[in-house]
Protein backbone atom coordinates (compact mmCIF):
# COMPACT_ATOMS: atom_id res chain seq x y z
CA UNK A 1 0.00 0.00 0.00
CA UNK A 2 2.79 2.43 0.92
CA UNK A 3 6.39 2.41 -0.22
CA UNK A 4 9.05 4.50 1.49
CA UNK A 5 12.51 5.25 0.13
CA UNK A 6 15.14 7.10 2.16
CA UNK A 7 18.04 9.07 0.74
CA UNK A 8 20.62 11.64 1.81
CA UNK A 9 22.82 9.57 4.08
CA UNK A 10 26.57 9.68 3.90
CA UNK A 11 29.88 10.07 5.69
CA UNK A 12 30.42 13.35 7.52
CA UNK A 13 32.55 14.73 10.32
CA UNK A 14 31.34 15.60 13.79
CA UNK A 15 29.62 18.96 13.80
CA UNK A 16 28.47 18.69 10.18
CA UNK A 17 24.91 18.56 8.93
CA UNK A 18 22.89 16.21 6.76
CA UNK A 19 19.37 16.27 5.44
CA UNK A 20 17.64 12.96 5.00
CA UNK A 21 14.68 12.58 2.68
CA UNK A 22 11.92 10.00 2.59
CA UNK A 23 9.85 9.66 -0.56
CA UNK A 24 6.45 8.03 -0.09
CA UNK A 25 4.37 6.46 -2.81
CA UNK A 26 1.20 4.42 -3.03
CA UNK A 27 -1.83 5.02 -0.84
CA UNK A 28 -0.44 7.46 1.68
CA UNK A 29 -3.72 8.92 2.96
CA UNK A 30 -3.55 6.81 6.11
CA UNK A 31 -0.01 7.89 6.97
CA UNK A 32 -1.10 10.26 9.71
CA UNK A 33 2.23 10.01 11.50
CA UNK A 34 5.59 9.86 9.80
CA UNK A 35 8.59 8.79 11.79
CA UNK A 36 12.34 8.42 11.71
CA UNK A 37 14.05 5.58 13.53
CA UNK A 38 17.69 4.60 13.61
CA UNK A 39 19.62 1.44 14.34
CA UNK A 40 23.31 1.09 15.09
CA UNK A 41 25.12 -2.27 14.77
CA UNK A 42 24.34 -4.53 17.71
CA UNK A 43 21.64 -2.24 19.05
CA UNK A 44 17.87 -2.22 18.80
CA UNK A 45 16.03 0.18 16.56
CA UNK A 46 15.28 3.42 18.38
CA UNK A 47 12.84 6.24 17.85
CA UNK A 48 14.29 9.50 16.55
CA UNK A 49 11.47 11.82 15.50
CA UNK A 50 7.81 11.89 14.50
CA UNK A 51 5.48 14.33 12.79
CA UNK A 52 1.71 14.53 12.50
CA UNK A 53 -0.18 14.83 9.25
CA UNK A 54 -0.51 18.61 9.40
CA UNK A 55 3.17 19.06 10.14
CA UNK A 56 2.42 21.09 13.24
CA UNK A 57 2.81 18.38 15.89
CA UNK A 58 6.34 17.03 16.24
CA UNK A 59 8.18 14.88 18.73
CA UNK A 60 11.84 13.99 19.20
CA UNK A 61 13.99 11.63 21.16
CA UNK A 62 15.89 13.38 23.94
CA UNK A 63 19.19 12.46 22.32
CA UNK A 64 18.44 14.52 19.20
CA UNK A 65 16.18 17.28 20.50
CA UNK A 66 17.56 20.69 19.59
CA UNK A 67 19.76 19.26 16.85
CA UNK A 68 17.36 17.43 14.52
CA UNK A 69 14.25 18.79 12.82
CA UNK A 70 11.57 16.69 11.16
CA UNK A 71 9.32 18.16 8.48
CA UNK A 72 6.98 16.97 5.74
CA UNK A 73 5.57 18.15 2.46
CA UNK A 74 2.32 16.32 1.87
CA UNK A 75 1.89 17.75 -1.62
CA UNK A 76 5.13 16.04 -2.60
CA UNK A 77 4.69 13.01 -0.32
CA UNK A 78 8.06 13.78 1.23
CA UNK A 79 9.37 13.66 4.78
CA UNK A 80 12.66 15.18 5.85
CA UNK A 81 15.04 14.97 8.75
CA UNK A 82 17.46 17.87 9.07
CA UNK A 83 20.36 16.78 11.25
CA UNK A 84 22.68 19.44 12.62
CA UNK A 85 25.65 19.26 14.97
CA UNK A 86 26.09 15.59 14.21
CA UNK A 87 27.93 13.43 16.71
CA UNK A 88 29.68 10.07 16.27
CA UNK A 89 26.93 8.49 18.37
CA UNK A 90 24.45 9.48 15.65
CA UNK A 91 26.05 6.89 13.38
CA UNK A 92 23.37 4.41 12.36
CA UNK A 93 21.09 3.28 9.60
CA UNK A 94 18.18 5.70 9.51
CA UNK A 95 14.74 4.42 8.62
CA UNK A 96 11.61 6.23 7.57
CA UNK A 97 8.34 4.75 8.83
CA UNK A 98 4.63 5.47 8.46
CA UNK A 99 1.81 4.82 10.92
CA UNK A 100 -1.91 5.47 11.02
CA UNK A 101 -1.85 6.00 14.79
CA UNK A 102 0.53 7.76 17.14
CA UNK A 103 3.26 5.66 18.72
CA UNK A 104 6.93 5.71 19.66
CA UNK A 105 7.70 2.01 19.25
CA UNK A 106 8.98 0.38 16.10
CA UNK A 107 6.32 -2.30 16.44
CA UNK A 108 3.60 0.29 15.94
CA UNK A 109 4.75 1.29 12.50
CA UNK A 110 2.77 0.15 9.46
CA UNK A 111 5.39 0.64 6.74
CA UNK A 112 9.16 0.93 6.61
CA UNK A 113 11.78 2.12 4.18
CA UNK A 114 14.97 0.16 3.62
CA UNK A 115 17.14 2.69 5.40
CA UNK A 116 20.03 5.00 4.61
CA UNK A 117 23.44 4.90 6.29
CA UNK A 118 24.68 7.89 8.26
CA UNK A 119 28.27 7.75 9.49
CA UNK A 120 29.76 10.51 11.63
CA UNK A 121 33.50 10.53 12.22
CA UNK A 122 35.21 12.35 15.06
Amino acid sequence: QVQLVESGGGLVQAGDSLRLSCAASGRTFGSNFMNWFRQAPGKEREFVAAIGRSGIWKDYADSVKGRFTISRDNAKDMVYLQMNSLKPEDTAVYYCAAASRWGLSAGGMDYWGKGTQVTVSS
Side-chain angles (χ1 to χ4, degrees), residues 36-118:
W36 287 97
F37 285 77
R38 67 186 183 186
Q39 187 168 23
K43 299 181 179 179
E44 68 178 11
R45 194 166 298 186
E46 66 174 352
F47 168 80
V48 175
I51 187 168
R53 192 166 190 84
S54 69
I56 298 174
W57 177 87
K58 300 175 182 180
D59 196 17
Y60 300 92
D62 290 340
S63 60
V64 306
K65 198 166 188 175
R67 298 188 297 120
F68 291 10
T69 302
I70 187 171
S71 61
R72 67 189 297 171
D73 186 338
N74 293 337
K76 297 181 179 180
D77 283 334
M78 295 289 292
V79 184
Y80 307 97
L81 184 67
Q82 178 66 46
M83 306 184 294
N84 297 328
S85 301
L86 283 164
K87 305 174 181 179
E89 48 263 47
D90 294 319
T91 296
V93 176
Y94 283 71
Y95 298 91
C96 180
S100 60
R101 301 179 180 180
W102 179 90
L104 301 179
S105 65
M109 303 296 105
D110 298 320
Y111 302 97
W112 292 90
K114 294 182 179 180
T116 184
Q117 177 71 48
V118 173

Side-chain angles (χ1 to χ4, degrees), residues 9-49:
L11 174 62
V12 299
Q13 297 188 67
D16 285 352
S17 298
L18 277 176
R19 191 189 193 194
L20 304 183
S21 298
C22 173
S25 61
R27 299 184 180 276
T28 62
F29 61 89
S31 300
N32 297 317
F33 300 92
M34 298 300 296
N35 308 261
W36 287 97
F37 285 77
R38 67 186 183 186
Q39 187 168 23
K43 299 181 179 179
E44 68 178 11
R45 194 166 298 186
E46 66 174 352
F47 168 80
V48 175

